[in-house]
Amino acid sequence: MDVSVVLPVYNEEENIPILYRELCEALAPTKWAYEIIFVDDGSSDRSWEILSGIQYQDDRVVAIRFRRNFGQTAALSAGFDHASGDVVVTLDADLQNDPKDIPLLVAKLQEGYDLVNGWRYERKDPFLSRKLPSRIANWIISTTTHVKLHDYGCTLKVFRKEIAANLRLYGEMHRFIPAIASGLGAAITEVRVNHRERKFGKSKYGISRTIRVVLDLITVKFFLSYSTRPIQIFGLLGVVSGGLGFLMALWMTIQRQFYGMSLANRPLLLLAILLMFTGLQFVSLGLIAELQSRTYHESQNKPIYVIRKTLQTENHQRQ
Ligand code: UDP
Ligand code: MG
């Protein structure tokens, strides 16, 4: 199998037949061995009937049905677990992404990249509720994760199966796939892709998504930078806070002891105590996180590094 196309589907009954036709038209000229994996994320409309009909006629199609709605991230994960291609393609099932772009992204991947992200440079979505928050989010995600991309929200992506196999996605984390992949040492680039207006069905998200994205960003940043050394972030916070509190307390002790100044009317005293306690808390939290991190890595035999390749001569013949 060369290519696995993964599509999350949630109440997209009108879109599926058109999408399926467009996918076939886009993939037929490529001569790839491919599979199309639809993951029905607990749709309540006729999506599943339509998908099972398509699957019945075409054995390159795989249809997976969730018991309830688990969200787009879960749907994509299920698709990755099922994918057998060397290259994994993801796109939305609402026709906003254009299947015609798939060969372009795969060609870019073959130039030597591990992940190619779509960039909807002429995005056909409302400005205030979509494009503006997205622009801010892209800037924040790019600067905090140091993976500079214009469009983290674009589901149309292409990546190698090693990346898919190592992605562990929770919450709403599918949009951080490039950032997580860069933690695995992937070479990443982006390609401009077509974007179309949603014609059928409704968007599944509102503006409330923004706060969840920010929270997930904190998790991703922590995992990327500190998951193997949590004491270095919590310990730092603790030392700064505790140290500051200690200096204040010391200063006030000197004033009290040598200059006879009263401490009863000094709000600073409270702040000093608060800072010292916070410092202690941070350091303890860091130590507990260190324990957790060891459990996380060692219980799963998950090394703290990712090897690209090992060159070795059998039996040390060349010694
Ligand atoms: N989707 C899903 N589960 C959900 C929400 C969405 O599988 O809980 C799918 C949806 O069917 C579509 C894709 O994820 O194929 C993107 O959703 P949508 O178009 O609503 O997002 P937007 O483009 O508005 O960001
Ligand atoms: Mg959409």
Side-chain angles (χ1 to χ4, degrees), residues 57-68:
Q57 287 168 7
D58 185 347
D59 49 16
R60 288 171 305 192
V61 171
V62 178
I64 300 172
R65 186 187 196 182
F66 280 176
R67 284 195 179 268
R68 64 167 173 85

Side-chain angles (χ1 to χ4, degrees), residues 92 94 96 198:
D92 281 343
D94 59 357
Q96 290 199 270
R198 198 189 238 281

